């Protein structure tokens, strides 16, 4: 992929502003638990770094996300009150999603300054490598979680992907990189 | 066709490499026995066996890098790695240490032996010694030779040669470099970690991104400029009032356009660096280089790879192959 990374469209950013954090954290926790459970090799690759707290900072969202792999937990936090953490990774939401789905290379995003890292660099590297090997697919995880609504949700997510430029599904075919 | 040897730090990257057209994939175990011993990377013995089965089913080879230098008293770790590679069905092992080569030749004679770039064998005498004493069948040449020097070496040896064509560029006498050891106390050559992440720290300072290794500031990258890897050999230092990259600029190797010359020089295999990189990198780079080796075999012009965005420094060099030294 050579085009500049897309930024979250302004209407979506504004829509995200008033979202209450507790239900958002419940939702993020459910997705994270499901991913950790269905990809046990991710926990093995993380090793001791699973106990670290990773602050994910999607710069075009109004909140910060705290990932604690050992508890399979992810919570949302106001930017004004960042939680304690061992490492911070910052960049546009599209960079995180593209890296997670195998569309972008983490080192290349670092070279281009799209991603910045602070704190425990080794923990960040372990997390990046564990997620890359797990071949996660957010769209599929969300569809599975939504039970009978899976089919319409898949369609909705495909449309959202097209409209926003965000990578919401795993890159599986070489053509995806064209 | 020249053999395309591609990197894999994880089973997912190995699958991506094979599906993108790798003829061979090189990878290592998750311990000090391989020179990419980074957090979250590499293969368990079980991963390795599954990877070999996957690759062989698709006509690709798996080469296992056991290319660090064993510590005295800890040899069993390296010996076990050799036995595990053979048990997994690996097509070859890539070794650097003379003692380990002797052990492999003695205990695993049927396991094909390649000489790692970590052995820094850069002349016919050295290569012929490794071939005659330890039955080495292929040597990975250091990244400090010109194409003409490679051709001259090939005229005086009987083993295959493999050269790097893309990726991070080590400009030192590989396997002998102590820069990272000096700054961190951990050795690329014995612990498998050049610039170990545990000793790397980044900090946004004003408009600059400061990168530190073992407490030494080795880069200050202005806002908007490409960030390099935190390696001392590509660090930017001030000395006698002059600031610059003392050893090498932070750029990456891309020798695509030299592939026909490398073929004429007698090179058998082309290697892509990057076991620490993601499956996205592997898929894109391998696909581009598979097209290039196919073009070379068919006598067509070399394609443009368009891979600069994936590289350190976001720009490429032909390295020592066509080097004008300062």
């Amino acid at each position: 992929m050579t085009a500049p990374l897309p930024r979250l469209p302004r209407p979506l950013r504004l829509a995200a502003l008033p979202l209450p954090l507790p239900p958002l954290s419940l939702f993020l926790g459910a997705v994270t638990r499901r991913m950790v459970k269905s990809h046990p090799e991710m926990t093995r690759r993380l090793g001791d770094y699973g106990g670290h707290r990773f602050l994910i900072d999607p710069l075009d969202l109004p909140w910060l996300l705290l990932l604690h792999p050992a508890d399979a937990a992810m919570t949302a936090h106001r930017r004004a009150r960042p939680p304690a953490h061992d490492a911070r990774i910052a960049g546009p939401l599209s960079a995180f999603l593209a890296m997670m789905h195998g569309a972008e290379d983490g080192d290349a995003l670092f070279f281009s300054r799209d991603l910045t890292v602070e704190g425990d660099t080794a923990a960040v590297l372990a997390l990046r490598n564990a997620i890359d090997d797990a071949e996660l697919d957010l769209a599929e995880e969300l569809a599975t979680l939504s039970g009978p609504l899976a089919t319409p949700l898949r369609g909705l997510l495909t449309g959202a992907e097209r409209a926003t430029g965000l990578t919401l599904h795993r890159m599986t075919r070489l053509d995806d990189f064209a | 066709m020249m053999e395309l040897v591609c990197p894999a730090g994880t089973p997912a990257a190995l699958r991506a490499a094979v599906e993108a057209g790798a003829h061979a994939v090189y990878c290592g175990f998750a311990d000090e026995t391989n020179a990419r011993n980074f957090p979250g990377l590499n293969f368990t013995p079980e991963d390795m066996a599954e990877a070999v089965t996957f690759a062989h089913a698709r006509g690709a080879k798996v080469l296992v890098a056991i290319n660090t230098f064993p510590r005295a008293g800890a040899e069993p770790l390296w010996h076990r790695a050799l036995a595990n590679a053979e048990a997994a069905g690996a097509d070859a092992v890539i070794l650097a240490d003379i003692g380990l080569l002797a052990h492999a030749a003695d205990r695993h004679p049927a396991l094909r032996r390649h000489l790692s770039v970590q052995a820094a064998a850069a002349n016919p005498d050295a290569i012929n010694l490794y071939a005659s004493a330890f039955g080495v069948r292929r040597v990975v040449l250091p990244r400090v030779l010109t194409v003409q020097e490679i051709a001259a070496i090939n005229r005086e040896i009987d083993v295959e040669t493999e050269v790097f064509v893309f990726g991070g560029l080590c400009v030192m006498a590989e396997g002998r470099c102590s820069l990272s050891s000096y700054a961190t106390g951990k050795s690329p050559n014995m612990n498998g970690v050049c610039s170990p992440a545990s000793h790397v720290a980044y900090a946004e300072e004003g408009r600059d991104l400061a990168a530190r290794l073992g407490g030494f500031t080795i880069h200050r990258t202005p806002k908007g400029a490409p960030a390099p890897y935190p390696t001392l050999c590509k660090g930017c230092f001030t000395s006698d009032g002059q600031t610059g990259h003392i050893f090498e600029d932070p750029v990456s190797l891309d020798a695509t356009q030299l592939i026909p010359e490398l073929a004429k020089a007698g090179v058998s295999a082309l290697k892509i660096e990057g076991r620490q990189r993601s499956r996205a990198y592997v898929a894109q780079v391998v696909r581009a280089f598979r097209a290039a080796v196919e073009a070379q075999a068919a006598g067509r012009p070399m394609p443009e790879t368009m891979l600069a965005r994936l590289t350190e420094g976001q720009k490429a060099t032909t390295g020592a192959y066509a080097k004008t030294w300062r």
Side-chain angles (χ1 to χ4, degrees):
Chain A
M1 192 181 284
T2 53
L5 288 168
R7 300 295 159 134
L8 195 66
R10 189 175 158 77
L12 283 180
R13 217 162 47 230
L14 292 175
L17 265 173
L19 284 180
L21 296 189
L24 182 62
S25 292
L26 277 177
F27 168 72
L28 291 168
V31 176
T32 307
R33 269 194 306 281
R34 177 169 169 79
M35 285 187 173
V36 170
K37 194 176 167 194
S38 55
H39 298 277
E41 73 281 6
M42 205 159 51
T43 305
R44 175 173 64 78
R45 283 197 174 271
L46 269 171
D48 292 343
Y49 296 113
H52 281 51
R53 291 174 193 279
F54 298 90
L55 189 67
I56 314 290
D57 184 351
L59 297 171
D60 42 1
L61 278 178
W63 347 280
L64 303 167
L65 306 173
L66 186 71
L67 173 65
H68 189 219
D71 293 340
M74 182 181 271
T75 47
H77 300 262
R78 294 283 171 219
R79 287 191 169 275
R81 299 180 62 189
H85 55 275
D86 301 293
R88 171 179 170 265
I89 316 163
L93 177 66
S94 58
F96 289 107
L97 290 170
M99 196 165 53
M100 169 182 171
H101 290 113
E104 287 277 0
D105 175 72
D107 285 13
L109 292 170
F110 169 77
F111 298 148
S112 64
R113 309 287 291 273
D114 286 305
L115 277 187
T116 54
V117 170
E118 285 174 348
D120 191 328
T121 312
V124 173
L125 208 57
L127 179 67
R128 191 276 308 265
N129 292 334
I131 289 175
D132 192 55
D133 184 55
E135 298 181 292
L136 301 174
D137 190 324
L138 181 61
E140 211 37 55
E141 301 289 353
L142 291 175
T144 308
L145 270 176
S146 63
L149 298 174
T151 305
L153 185 66
R154 281 193 188 97
L156 196 67
L157 291 171
T158 304
E161 195 167 40
R162 211 172 295 133
T164 61
L166 300 175
T167 311
L168 299 176
H169 76 280
R170 175 162 55 99
M171 294 284 159
T172 51
R173 296 177 302 117
L174 282 173
D175 290 349
D176 288 336
F177 294 105
Chain B
M1 192 185 305
M2 297 173 94
E3 184 178 297
L4 189 57
V5 183
C6 306
T10 61
L14 179 137
R15 292 191 291 274
V18 170
E19 285 167 358
H23 297 124
V25 182
Y26 67 105
C27 45
F29 292 113
D31 54 35
E32 289 177 289
T33 63
N34 96 73
R36 282 285 184 267
N37 181 23
F38 292 131
L41 274 191
N42 298 316
F43 292 63
T44 62
E46 295 75 26
D47 289 339
M48 193 65 81
E50 285 173 20
V52 170
T53 303
F54 178 90
H56 285 180
R58 289 154 185 81
K61 297 179 200 164
V62 175
L63 318 178
V64 180
I66 308 172
N67 58 346
T68 49
F69 295 84
R71 279 177 284 110
E75 300 91 340
L77 179 65
W78 279 261
H79 294 172
R80 259 199 314 277
L82 274 173
N84 286 335
E86 185 165 55
D91 297 277
V93 284
I94 309 170
L95 310 176
D97 179 69
I98 282 179
L100 198 60
L101 278 159
H103 177 88
D106 183 40
R107 305 289 176 86
H108 307 279
L111 190 55
R112 184 178 161 100
R113 292 174 288 288
H114 292 185
L115 189 67
S116 169
V117 69
Q118 287 286 97
N123 61 66
D125 289 345
I127 293 167
N128 286 332
L129 172 70
Y130 281 109
S132 62
F134 308 114
V136 162
R137 305 273 297 278
R138 177 185 293 180
V139 57
V140 185
L141 292 175
R143 288 165 268 197
V144 294
L145 300 166
T146 63
V147 176
Q148 291 76 17
E149 286 167 336
I150 291 168
I153 287 172
N154 273 327
R155 283 194 290 273
E156 294 185 49
I157 62 173
D158 293 322
V159 298
E160 299 170 358
T161 49
E162 177 177 310
V163 301
F164 282 91
V165 284
F166 190 83
L169 190 58
C170 180
V171 294
M172 297 297 167
E174 293 183 57
R176 315 282 191 270
C177 178
S178 295
L179 280 175
S180 183
S181 312
Y182 176 77
T184 69
K186 290 203 161 208
S187 164
N189 316 314
M190 298 181 74
N191 307 115
V193 280
C194 180
S195 295
S198 53
H199 291 65
V200 172
Y202 296 105
E204 300 275 353
E205 295 179 357
R207 291 176 62 81
D208 294 348
L209 174 69
R212 295 193 174 84
L213 181 68
F216 297 96
T217 302
I218 56 176
H219 300 287
R220 273 186 192 281
T221 314
K223 196 173 178 64
Y229 277 130
T231 49
L232 279 162
C233 57
K234 291 167 193 161
C236 188
F237 305 105
T238 301
S239 174
D240 280 343
Q242 288 196 326
T243 300
H245 297 98
I246 304 293
F247 302 106
E248 178 60 284
D249 297 346
V251 293
S252 292
L253 178 68
D254 185 352
T256 314
Q257 301 305 318
L258 295 176
I259 289 174
E261 282 184 62
L262 291 166
K264 276 186 207 148
V267 169
S268 304
L270 303 175
K271 186 166 210 156
I272 295 167
E273 185 274 347
R275 281 193 285 148
Q276 76 283 17
R277 303 295 292 267
S278 67
R279 65 185 203 275
Y281 166 95
V282 168
Q284 292 172 72
V285 176
V286 173
R287 185 167 65 156
F289 274 87
R290 178 62 189 251
V293 294
E294 284 183 0
Q296 187 278 325
R300 297 195 304 268
M302 289 296 98
E304 293 294 332
T305 54
M306 311 291 283
L307 297 170
R309 190 168 182 276
L310 287 171
T311 65
E312 182 180 19
Q314 315 247 284
K315 58 184 177 180
T317 170
T318 51
Y321 295 132
K323 182 88 182 178
T324 307
W325 293 97
R326 278 188 290 216

